[in-house]
């Protein structure tokens, strides 16, 4: 399969690369250390159209595809993952459910603002007692026939983009009934920010992604119109599985960017840092580390682009997305560790980008499906029952 970029995709990649190095890189370290959301940078990303990349122009998007989104995520993550995850979650988890499953009215109400970056959306899936077991959702929503409203109760955790000043909605998975077999029927419901009973907790104190927004959400008799149901009632589980399959491609692109960024920083450092009278890059031990880092980043890039290409062309991509996510997240952690080792003591200092990358890498083996879940999905695609 030919993964060479079209002129349009290459122009986008270069544009985001320049933005990442000229705008994000000089500023993001201060935001990161202050645990502060970079509104100025996000607004500029909105003006560039990055939040609308894979959506049709009729809804305010750029008319691009998932490959375009992945290219933008990779280039951003080469410099910083907090900014990259803000874009990834805003598009793949915030806006994509509305685009994939929303009514025409819902799309026209929400997508233009989500595509422009004027508003961020969030995806309320994970709960304190159900992470990988998303089918064990405990949040409930009952339809009050008298008022025509959903009444939602429950708690969500680790939700990205859920508490910023520009967050406009959270799509929430909730149990809305029981099937004939007694199993819970899960549906997805749009909850606008500021709805009475919808409480957003203070930001988490995190190991990494410190310039992104991550919070716990609680719902106490939250009422929203019945028309806020997203897609078909009882099909929420199937919906979020599709969203997560696509999102794994985006996370893989982000992880590849982090792996490449670790290599970029390490190559530059190895050429200038001297020890025993010469640059450390002259040592074969360092050269072999860099060669392995290059090999891994390159292979991760091929993997996510293959999955994205299959998605764009309407081909099955579940297995390829799981492979890409599993491999690229592993590579991100490997390259972050090696970059820190190459930098020595300086790699442990926050003034160096590799320290930030090291802190940001581990979550990639956990978020949007742990590495264990990816192996389970791959095994199922090979014909083995879970």
């Amino acid at each position: 399969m030919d993964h060479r970029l079209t002129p349009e995709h290459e122009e986008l990649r270069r544009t985001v690369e320049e933005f990442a190095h000229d705008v994000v890189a000089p500023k993001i370290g201060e935001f990161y250390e202050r645990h502060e959301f970079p509104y100025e940078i996000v607004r500029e990303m909105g003006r560039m159209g990055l939040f609308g990349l894979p959506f049709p122009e009729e809804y305010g998007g750029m008319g691009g595809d998932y490959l375009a989104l992945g290219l933008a995520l990779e280039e951003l993550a080469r410099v910083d993952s907090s900014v990259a995850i803000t874009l990834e979650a805003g598009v793949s988890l915030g806006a994509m459910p509305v685009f994939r499953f929303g009514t025409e009215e819902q799309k026209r109400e929400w997508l233009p603002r989500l595509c422009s970056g004027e508003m961020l959306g969030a995806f309320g899936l994970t709960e304190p007692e159900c992470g990988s077991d998303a089918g064990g959702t405990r949040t409930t929503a009952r339809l009050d026939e008298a008022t025509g409203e959903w009444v939602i109760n429950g708690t969500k955790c680790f939700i990205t983009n859920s508490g910023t000043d520009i967050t406009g909605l959270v799509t929430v998975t909730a149990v809305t009934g029981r099937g004939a077999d007694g199993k819970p029927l899960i549906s997805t419901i749009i909850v606008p920010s500021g709805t009475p009973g919808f409480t957003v907790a203070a930001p988490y104190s995190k190991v990494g992604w410190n310039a992104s927004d991550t919070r716990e959400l609680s719902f106490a008799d939250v009422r929203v119109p019945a028309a806020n149901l997203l897609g078909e009632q009882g099909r929420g589980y199937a919906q979020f599985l599709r969203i997560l399959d696509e999102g794994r491609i985006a996370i893989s692109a982000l992880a590849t960017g982090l792996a490449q960024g670790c290599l970029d920083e390490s190559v530059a450092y190895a050429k200038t840092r001297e020890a025993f009278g010469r640059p450390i890059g002259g040592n074969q031990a360092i050269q072999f580390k860099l060669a392995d880092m290059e090999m891994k980043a390159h292979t991760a890039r091929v993997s996510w682009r293959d999955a994205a290409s299959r998605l764009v062309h309407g081909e099955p991509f579940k297995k390829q997305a799981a492979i890409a996510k599993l491999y690229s997240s592993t590579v991100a952690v490997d390259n972050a560790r090696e970059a820190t080792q190459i930098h020595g003591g300086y790699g442990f200092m926050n003034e160096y980008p590799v320290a930030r990358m090291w802190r940001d890498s581990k979550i990639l083996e956990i978020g949007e499906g742990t590495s264990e879940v990816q192996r389970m999905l791959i095994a199922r695609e090979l014909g083995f029952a879970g």
Side-chain angles (χ1 to χ4, degrees), residues 28-47:
I28 196 61
E30 296 179 6
F31 285 104
Y32 196 94
E33 290 305 309
R34 296 196 300 263
H35 292 234
E36 181 180 337
F37 190 79
Y39 287 101
E40 176 186 344
I41 293 174
V42 172
R43 280 193 292 270
E44 181 62 26
M45 291 162 57
R47 288 191 289 268

Side-chain angles (χ1 to χ4, degrees), residues 229-360:
L229 178 71
L230 189 63
E232 183 181 343
Q233 184 174 346
R235 292 287 296 167
Y237 188 80
Q239 290 173 198
F240 70 67
L241 287 181
R242 166 70 188 212
I243 292 300
L244 290 179
D245 283 341
E246 294 183 6
R248 286 171 185 135
I249 300 175
I251 287 292
S252 180
L254 189 157
T256 301
L258 187 148
Q260 184 66 52
C262 289
L263 174 62
D264 296 342
E265 294 294 330
S266 297
V267 168
Y269 186 80
K271 289 179 177 179
T272 57
R273 174 72 165 103
E274 292 192 358
F276 303 103
R278 65 172 182 168
I280 63 172
N283 299 317
Q284 193 176 66
I286 299 297
Q287 294 173 7
F288 280 9
K289 284 182 182 293
L290 295 172
D292 285 344
M293 293 167 71
E294 169 70 9
M295 173 186 67
K296 291 176 180 179
H298 171 78
T299 307
R301 182 173 301 108
V302 171
S303 185
W304 83 253
R305 288 189 184 181
D306 174 59
S309 177
R310 292 171 185 271
L311 169 59
V312 169
H313 289 93
E315 301 171 359
F317 67 92
K318 179 188 286 287
K319 180 176 69 175
Q320 288 75 18
I323 291 171
K325 202 277 184 180
L326 173 61
Y327 182 75
S328 61
S329 61
T330 302
V331 164
V333 174
D334 288 347
N335 277 16
R337 182 180 61 251
E338 293 290 28
T340 304
Q341 191 72 17
I342 290 170
H343 280 70
Y346 290 110
F348 206 63
M349 301 296 111
N350 285 327
E351 65 186 280
Y352 281 79
V354 294
R356 190 167 69 243
M357 293 172 178
W358 182 66
R359 292 162 67 180
D360 290 340

